[in-house]
Structures are given as structure tokens and as C-alpha cells.
Amino acid sequence: MGLSFLEGNEAIAHGAVAAGCNFFAGYPITPATTVYNTMLSLLPPSGGVCLQGEDEIASMGFCLGASMAGKKVLTATSGPGISLYSEQISFAIGSEIPVVIVDVQRLGPSTGSATRGADGDVQFLQWGSSGGLPVIVLAPADVRDCYLLTVHAFNLAEKFRCPVFLASNKEIAMTKESIDLSAIPLPDIVERQPAGPNQPFRPFASENNHSAPPFLPIGGDTLVRQTSSTHGTDGYITIDPAVIESMQQRLDQKLMAHVDALTFYDTDIQEGADTLVITYGVTSRSAVDAVASLRSEGKAASLLVLKTLWPVPEAVIRQLAAPVSRVVVTEMNMGLYLREIERLLPDKTIGFMGHMSGKLVTPHEIREVVTNG
Amino acid sequence: MGSFLNTDRPPVFCPGCAHERVTSALDETFQQMELEASEIVIVSDIGCSGLFDTFFNTHAFHGLHGRALTYATGLKLARPELTVIVTMGDGGLGIGGAHVLSACRRNVDLTLMVLNNFNYGMTGGQFSATTPSDAKVGSSFLNQLEMPIDACRVAASAGAGWVMRASIYEKHVADQLTAAIRYPGFSMIDLWGVCPGRYTKQNNLTPKSLRAIMDGLPSADGPVPENQRKEYGKHYAEIAAGLKPQGPPPQIEARQNAPDHGKNGISILGSAGQRIITAGEILCLAGMSAGLHATQKNDYPITVLRGHSVSELLLSDTTIGYTGIEQPAVVIAIADEGVARRKSMIDRLDENCLVIKATDVDVPASRAQVHEIDFKAWKIKSQDRALASLAVLAGLDRIISADMLRAAISFRFKDAIAASALVLMDNVAGHLAA
């Protein structure tokens, strides 16, 4: 068996290439820069395009233009850059432009701490753009996830024609780990569905009210319209309330009606356990250790590690929490995803362990909350 | 070739709007260039110039205010065969200023049409980046406080290869647009016209007075001689063609046997310039050569060659969860800066921990076993201390063996550097034996 030694950011870049990514644009920012560095070593020699924008707004603009020309595009930044992406993200949501966005979270608010980790953006990624429509957010826990979930992220972006976020963390992104990428089974690669030959082409006409419209690239033989304005199926601005509402509902339902297809999670359920630990991202690694050590002391505990944060996998959470009376949420912030769990499980006792100190939540800290409340 | 004007959605303008003339001139341009509609994409900005994508039956891309050039850049680099035309007002010129400057510097083959009518027409005639200070506008007195910019001088000084200032009321606009589009690089035409809906209600501006103002400005007639160079996309392709494709990440084979089992944390505490991070990587690779799982986290300041450098490693025969080190098995202390950074950890060390320390480094007292090395007496340079410490560890057969360390060095380094690292290992082994 051979092992490579990679950090999370490098694994994301390799995952992107494995998914067919052929266009990257970004602006340097710690702790996301090594995604850009790695893409710069991978893409240009193989016919791909890798650009450094004059700022984050430009980098996202390059990506959206290239995606509409048919490229599979990636960008990577951290919290301050996500703030600048915001308007472009809402454009990608409303105008159905596939793009994978890596947010290597660092301790905020604002410019915060460039080299300290946190999971402080997990609500921001869902709600940090205008319009209030759902987005997909995947959360890797380690280098393996960085590789695998990046491939899933591209598949979801193509299938649903939407931005897909990878909510990474400095503690995953810049931590090197031994890994055998070739041993990770990857899903089949998904390409966006091309529009059929029936003309005239209506760029936002979908087959039903819960799927993305078939795609044709700007620059092909068939004329294609893209617009950030509220539009009808023809891609022209509209003020017709019925058309507007139908488009908004489809943008909502194209994700919300398919939550099962975009939900990833791991479980470690112990028969008879009365406590379920719910976690995600780098903190899940501490939770795995904490649960193992509890069990070694004869104490029962179950574990749910969410790999999809948004849309919230409500059915999975409710189902796995059903047998327990108590849930412990642990995350690297002061209780952001906790809000979702409290919303879903009003009848459970809910404990919490998390902090914003730049330090990882330790297995010991989680064990204490599980044991002593 | 016929007109590409969108007869299904005929353009609607305020009476006397300059944009109506621009629309006709652009249509005439397409006809005289004999382009196919599918060869053209119009990328429109926000405001009245943002309606242009709907006026024509070509590919169309309408996005956010000031960002049109960014989409155009992505489109052109993705499909170099496309003719990409950006319509933007003087408002977009201001809010998207960084993109305008960068487009000029970058020289991607795009054509930027600045439809310059000296105000924000759509939102009520507020002042823009090109509004004269003495104009009466919808922003009360605020425009009196700012200088307007000359888009042409800005573009030329930012590196645009082709810049023209033109009046929509004069002849040959279609010829000028044709020349701009044919230019094989970034071109900008600053196309002056009036906004009768807002601007000329309070300001007297006529084709004649526009010409008089233009005559008072430095000329901008097309090619800028000092800015001629390769087009970005072609230049990119030229350089990329000479680059060697990268293979998958290299893998180290698991052929060695580790002397220790379980999960072991190692902290290397040093200073910048001591190759701490490389040593941390070598230690992990040594572990991986015996099939161990490994993680490495580093801590260093933003400065180069100054301050602390700390590397924290875990080697384990089972999957690694938490990547912090609660109780290290080994601490390598080779500079005071690193020790200062992890003082609280040293206070907690137990009797199972081995501290390998340089004689000239102060390590606070703890319950750990201490192995002291006089690097100076061994004639080992500061930058070799970290690697030499790994050789000490291997010499003591703790966590890694000498074979594991050799495997890691041979994997990580090439030729001369690998050879000198192996000499250093032998040197350390000799001292340990003595």
C-alpha cells in the first residue's frame, strides 16, 4: 500500500480535477491559497484555465462567465472572500449557474484570524446572499472527505445547476494527512443535462417544477441568454407575478424536493444508547474519539456526523434522534448549527460543546458534556 | 447579412436618447463585419447600458453592476473563438473601476463600450465618475466636490492597447466599433452621448458642445503604441503548452516496520530557518513508510526567517481522529522561540515523554525524560538541528527506526540533498555510538 501526504486544500484540488473541473479563478487568501496554488500546478499543463482575479468579485465573475460557456468551475476563499462573493452567489443561485465554492473557514468576524480555524460561516453560507433561496453546503472532516466531497460537490452543481459550497476549515485545509487517494471509491461523474434539439431553446424551461433546466453553453450554435434579472423561461426580465412565483418555487423545490439525493452523513449507532452526538467538520474527529473513549468506559453513546449541512437533512436527524432522550451538538463555534437541531428536536434535552478560541474542540471536552451535561 | 436587432422585443428609449444611436451603430457594425449571431456575446452591465443584451439576437449575458468585464473575461477564456462585447455606462466604469483597470492590464481580447452620458440615468441622474464638477445633477452639490475622470487616459495608462474617444453624433461610429472589435486584444471605446431623460434637462449639452469638450482633451484615436503586446489568452496558451502535466500525488510504499505501536504525538519546537516543517514532514513520511497514519500541523508567524516555527505530528497504527496533541510522546526542543510558544504543554509533560533538547535551549523543568544534544560540539548547523534530532530519535529506536528515516529521506529529497541528509544521519549515529 502506498500513501501520499496531502493537506485538505490539495485534496480538494485533486478532487476537482477528478470531477472534470477545467476552470479555476480565485484571489489569494489564507487559509485557502493552497487550493489556488495546487490548481495552478494542475490545470494549465492539461489544457485548463487557472486565473488570479484582481479581487474576489472578479474571480467569481470569471467563474460564472466560464461556467455559462460550459466549463466546470471552482473557486476557493475564506470568510472575507465569501462576503465579497455574496452578490455573485445570489446571481448563481437565481440564474442557475453551476459553481463549486470552497470556503476554508477561519476565525472571524471580519478579517479575524487568518491562521486560526473555526466553523463560523455555516449559517452565513446558507443565508449570506439576497433572496433567501436554499443552497447546498457540504462539510468535509478530513483529507479523504476533501477529495470525495469535492467530486460530489461538482456532481451536485451540475445536476442541480447551482452553487455548491464546501465548508472546510483551516484545521482540515492546512493539516497534512497520510492518504491513498486511489483507494477512495468515487461516484460516477455527472454532467449538466444538455437541452434537446427542440427549438426554440428556452434557457430556463425545465421539464417539471422541481428540476434544473437543460443547458446549452453560451457560444454554441444555439443562441443562449443569461440574466441576473428576474426572468421567465425565455431568459427575459419579467414582471408577471405568476411567472415570477413559479420560477421562485422551482428554485426552491429543485433542491428541497431532492434532499435525500444530496444528503451525506456517517453514523455510529450504539444499541440502547440514550445520547446522540451530532457534529460535522473537523469537530467530528474529536467526537469520534470521545465516543470511542466513552464506550471503552462502558458508557453508551451514538454518533451522527453530517456531511451535508444545507439543506438541513431534517428527516435523517429526526429519525436518528427518535430513540434517544438527549442530544449533544458539538461544533467549532458558539452554537450556529445548534439552532437547526433545537428547531428540529424541541422535545429532546440538548447539550452543547463549542467555542471560538482558535483551538479545536477536544475529545475530553465533548466527553465531559456527554457524561455530565 | 441581416440585422440582429430583436424585433420581438423592440428597444424602447426616452425621446432623444443617445443609446438609440448606439444600438443602430452596433447593428451596422455587426453587418459590416459579417459576423454570425452565434459568434457574438453581448455582456451588459447595469443601468440603461444594461438593456443592450435584450436589443440583439446574439448570445447574451446580463449580470451585476460593474462586473460585466469579469463575466466577459471568463467567457472569452473559456471560448476564445467568441466575439465578446461589453456595454457599460459611466456608472459601471466607476463602480467596476478595478475591473476596468485590470482588463486594460490583462489584455484579453474584449471590446468595452463605455456609453458615457455623464450621469446615472436610470436611478435619477446622480453624478458618476465622469460627471463634470460644474454640472447640475440629482446628487445636489456633491459632484462639485469630486473630479471627473477621463476614461481614455485612465485606460491608456492602465495598459489598454486600443483606446478611442468618440461622439455618437458623428459619422463613422460603426467603423470605429469595427476597428475596436477587430483589435486583437483589449479595446475600449468611450462613446459620448446625452441623456435627455435626466442630464440635459438641467445641463445644456449638444453634439457641438460635446465635440468642443473632446477637442480640449488629449487625443484617443485607437492603437496605443506603447501598450502593444500579446493577447492574454494566446499568451496563456503559449506558456501552458510548454508546461509538464502533473501526475497524481507521489506515494511512499509501506515496507518498513515501526518500533512503536499506538498513537504517538511529536512536537518539534524551533525557530524559522531551522527547516522545522520539512523535518515534520520527513517524520510523517518515515511513519508512513511503515504503514502508519500520520498528520502534521504547523504554527509559524507571517514573517519569513524570523520568529517561532512549531510542527506537531501524530503517528498512529489506527485512524487519527482529533489532530491535537494532548500528551506528546516526544518533544524536540531546538530553539527558544518554539519552546516559548508551547510553554503550557511542557508544564503538563509526564514521565513517559522524551524531550530531545539542544544544550543551548532552555526547557522548563517537567517530569519528562531529557536527552540533551550539544549540536555545536557535534558541528551540526542550526538549519540541520531538526533533521539531526530525527536521527537521534531513530538512533534511540523510538517511534521511528533508522530504516524508516532513510526511506523518508530517499522519498522526499533528490540526489545531492538526500545524500547529504543521509551523511548527517550517519554523523549523528556515530556520535550516539560514541
Side-chain angles (χ1 to χ4, degrees):
Chain A
M1 185 187 77
L3 290 170
S4 300
F5 199 43
L6 298 177
E7 60 172 38
N9 282 345
E10 293 172 296
I12 283 175
H14 286 284
V17 170
C21 173
N22 45 17
F23 190 101
F24 177 94
Y27 183 84
I29 181 170
T30 305
T33 307
T34 44
V35 177
Y36 162 46
N37 292 348
T38 311
M39 291 308 276
L40 197 46
S41 74
L42 295 175
L43 285 185
S46 58
V49 175
C50 183
L51 299 178
Q52 178 177 315
E54 54 272 22
D55 56 26
E56 284 88 348
I57 298 171
S59 302
M60 263 294 270
F62 298 166
C63 285
L64 299 188
S67 181
M68 282 310 301
K71 298 287 183 185
K72 293 174 94 165
V73 304
L74 177 74
T75 186
T77 188
S78 188
I82 295 287
S83 303
L84 291 174
Y85 283 0
S86 172
E87 194 185 11
Q88 304 275 34
I89 291 167
S90 59
F91 180 18
I93 294 168
S95 302
E96 305 184 72
I97 309 175
V99 52
V100 176
I101 303 167
V102 183
D103 177 15
V104 182
Q105 296 171 88
R106 65 192 220 186
L107 188 81
S110 187
T111 50
S113 307
T115 59
R116 294 287 172 268
D119 283 333
D121 300 350
V122 295
Q123 291 281 350
F124 181 48
L125 293 178
Q126 164 57 68
W127 302 116
S129 55
S130 60
L133 286 162
V135 299
I136 300 173
V137 180
L138 308 182
D142 52 22
V143 167
R144 181 182 194 277
D145 278 352
C146 284
Y147 184 67
L148 177 59
L149 288 182
T150 300
V151 178
H152 282 301
F154 272 94
N155 281 353
L156 295 172
E158 293 292 306
K159 181 174 179 185
F160 294 106
R161 284 189 60 177
C162 63
V164 177
F165 292 97
L166 283 159
S168 185
N169 178 315
K170 178 263 161 185
E171 290 286 348
I172 302 165
M174 295 180 71
T175 299
K176 280 195 166 193
E177 287 191 75
S178 50
I179 185 83
D180 179 5
L181 292 184
S182 64
I184 300 172
L186 294 181
D188 290 339
I189 301 306
V190 175
E191 306 290 347
R192 59 195 86 157
Q193 185 195 344
N198 299 331
Q199 299 300 331
F201 173 62
R202 297 175 75 81
F204 296 98
S206 65
E207 286 160 6
N208 53 51
N209 60 5
H210 56 80
S211 66
F215 177 88
L216 287 177
I218 285 178
D221 292 339
T222 302
L223 297 183
V224 174
R225 290 193 48 74
Q226 176 55 284
T227 179
S228 56
S229 298
T230 304
H231 49 267
T233 55
D234 57 4
Y236 284 105
I237 191 167
T238 181
I239 53 168
D240 181 332
V243 173
I244 292 171
E245 189 172 20
S246 135
M247 184 66 71
Q248 295 278 337
Q249 286 184 343
R250 187 177 60 72
L251 290 172
D252 180 79
Q253 284 303 300
K254 78 171 180 180
L255 298 187
M256 299 312 287
H258 303 281
V259 169
D260 289 352
L262 46 84
T263 295
F264 302 100
Y265 62 98
D266 285 342
T267 57
D268 182 1
I269 302 300
Q270 188 174 15
E271 198 69 31
D274 194 40
T275 300
L276 173 68
V277 178
I278 301 180
T279 184
Y280 61 89
V282 71
T283 311
S284 68
R285 306 171 66 132
S286 298
V288 167
D289 284 1
V291 166
S293 104
L294 284 164
R295 288 177 186 171
S296 73
E297 293 162 13
K299 294 170 188 158
S302 290
L303 180 65
L304 167 59
V305 178
L306 296 173
K307 302 289 169 86
T308 299
L309 298 182
W310 300 96
V312 177
E314 299 189 354
V316 166
I317 292 168
R318 284 203 177 96
Q319 183 205 331
L320 291 170
V324 303
S325 68
R326 189 158 168 269
V327 167
V328 171
V329 177
T330 181
E331 56 186 331
M332 202 172 172
N333 57 50
M334 294 194 291
L336 296 178
Y337 208 75
L338 173 66
R339 299 162 62 94
E340 305 307 314
I341 305 301
E342 286 174 336
R343 172 174 70 78
L344 290 172
L345 306 174
D347 300 330
K348 308 287 180 192
T349 304
I350 296 181
F352 178 72
M353 171 42 72
H355 43 72
M356 289 279 275
S357 60
K359 297 178 80 170
L360 293 171
V361 176
T362 67
H364 178 75
E365 289 171 326
I366 298 169
R367 214 167 50 214
E368 281 293 301
V369 175
V370 173
T371 309
N372 303 323
Chain B
M1 192 75 64
S3 163
F4 294 150
L5 281 177
N6 187 353
T7 50
D8 293 341
R9 301 174 70 92
V12 180
F13 303 97
C14 305
C17 177
H19 292 357
E20 188 158 12
R21 288 172 175 264
V22 177
T23 306
S24 303
L26 188 55
D27 192 42
E28 191 187 335
T29 304
F30 293 148
Q31 292 178 54
Q32 78 182 34
M33 290 185 73
E34 300 188 343
L35 289 165
E36 299 283 344
S38 61
E39 294 173 315
I40 302 165
V41 55
I42 296 177
V43 183
S44 69
D45 205 72
I46 290 286
C48 300
S49 66
L51 302 171
F52 272 70
D53 62 287
T54 67
F55 297 164
F56 294 90
N57 281 318
T58 63
H59 290 290
F61 194 114
H62 172 70
L64 311 174
H65 194 19
R67 317 305 169 200
L69 283 168
T70 71
Y71 313 123
T73 301
L75 283 161
K76 182 68 181 181
L77 290 169
R79 287 192 176 246
E81 70 280 11
L82 270 178
T83 295
V84 183
I85 294 160
V86 176
T87 60
M88 181 189 279
D90 39 300
L93 179 76
I95 190 174
H99 311 310
V100 175
L101 297 181
S102 299
C104 294
R105 289 199 308 117
R106 204 174 276 123
N107 200 35
V108 175
D109 182 13
L110 313 170
T111 297
L112 170 61
M113 297 170 62
V114 178
L115 311 187
N116 189 351
N117 61 10
F118 316 104
N119 78 147
Y120 292 106
M122 199 177 264
T123 53
Q126 293 82 9
F127 77 108
S128 76
T130 64
T131 307
S133 303
D134 58 358
K136 291 191 174 62
V137 291
S139 315
S140 183
F141 64 92
L142 294 177
N143 65 302
Q144 296 171 31
L145 311 178
E146 298 190 17
M147 284 268 290
I149 59 164
D150 175 354
C152 292
R153 271 189 287 177
V154 168
S157 64
W162 195 101
V163 177
M164 179 172 282
R165 189 184 301 105
S167 165
I168 193 61
Y169 303 104
E170 297 175 6
K171 289 179 183 170
H172 311 305
V173 174
D175 294 339
Q176 290 165 330
L177 283 170
T178 298
I181 295 168
R182 288 213 167 119
Y183 178 74
F186 180 75
S187 56
M188 187 192 85
I189 183 161
D190 180 19
L191 201 48
W192 289 21
V194 301
C195 174
R198 304 289 184 191
Y199 193 77
T200 51
K201 280 191 170 166
Q202 296 192 81
N203 300 282
N204 185 24
L205 206 57
T206 63
K208 208 173 158 187
S209 61
L210 280 179
R211 171 43 61 192
I213 299 167
M214 291 171 90
D215 286 343
L217 293 170
S219 66
D221 299 327
V224 182
E226 65 271 28
N227 292 341
Q228 301 311 306
R229 62 199 189 277
K230 287 176 182 171
E231 193 271 335
Y232 184 98
K234 289 198 170 73
H235 199 183
Y236 179 105
E238 204 177 292
I239 294 173
L243 299 174
K244 212 174 124 196
Q246 303 282 307
Q251 294 192 327
I252 187 165
E253 295 296 324
R255 291 190 180 131
Q256 311 299 328
N257 292 307
D260 276 355
H261 293 284
K263 182 177 173 183
N264 290 303
I266 303 98
S267 285
I268 310 180
L269 313 178
S271 63
Q274 287 188 312
R275 301 174 183 164
I276 300 294
I277 291 158
T278 305
E281 188 184 348
I282 294 284
L283 180 70
C284 288
L285 290 169
M288 289 156 63
S289 78
L292 299 181
H293 299 267
T295 64
Q296 179 182 21
K297 296 210 292 185
N298 303 312
D299 174 12
Y300 47 85
I302 54 163
T303 46
V304 172
L305 290 176
R306 188 153 295 169
H308 68 278
S309 181
V310 169
S311 192
E312 293 174 312
L313 308 317
L314 283 169
L315 292 178
S316 173
D317 45 18
T318 55
T319 308
I320 296 169
Y322 174 63
T323 54
I325 300 178
E326 285 176 304
Q327 190 57 250
V330 173
V331 173
I332 295 171
I334 51 176
D336 291 331
E337 292 94 326
V339 173
R341 198 77 188 172
R342 287 293 181 277
K343 203 173 165 307
S344 65
M345 177 195 75
I346 291 169
D347 292 341
R348 295 197 307 267
L349 297 179
D350 66 20
E351 61 279 2
N352 297 318
C353 177
L354 169 67
V355 174
I356 297 174
K357 79 175 267 297
T359 46
D360 55 1
V361 170
D362 288 328
V363 177
S366 73
R367 288 183 294 157
Q369 314 150 44
V370 176
H371 190 106
E372 200 162 291
I373 308 281
D374 188 345
F375 288 106
K376 282 178 185 157
W378 286 10
K379 297 192 168 52
I380 288 173
K381 294 177 194 156
S382 176
Q383 65 263 35
D384 288 333
R385 282 185 175 197
L387 186 59
S389 300
L390 299 187
V392 171
L393 200 59
L396 300 172
D397 214 29
R398 290 281 287 261
I399 302 175
I400 57 169
S401 68
D403 284 344
M404 288 163 72
L405 185 55
R406 273 190 212 101
I409 287 169
S410 309
F411 177 81
R412 176 65 173 76
F413 297 131
K414 283 193 181 128
D415 312 331
I417 297 174
S420 71
L422 293 172
V423 167
L424 179 71
M425 252 189 92
D426 290 343
N427 180 11
V428 169
H431 286 296
L432 284 177

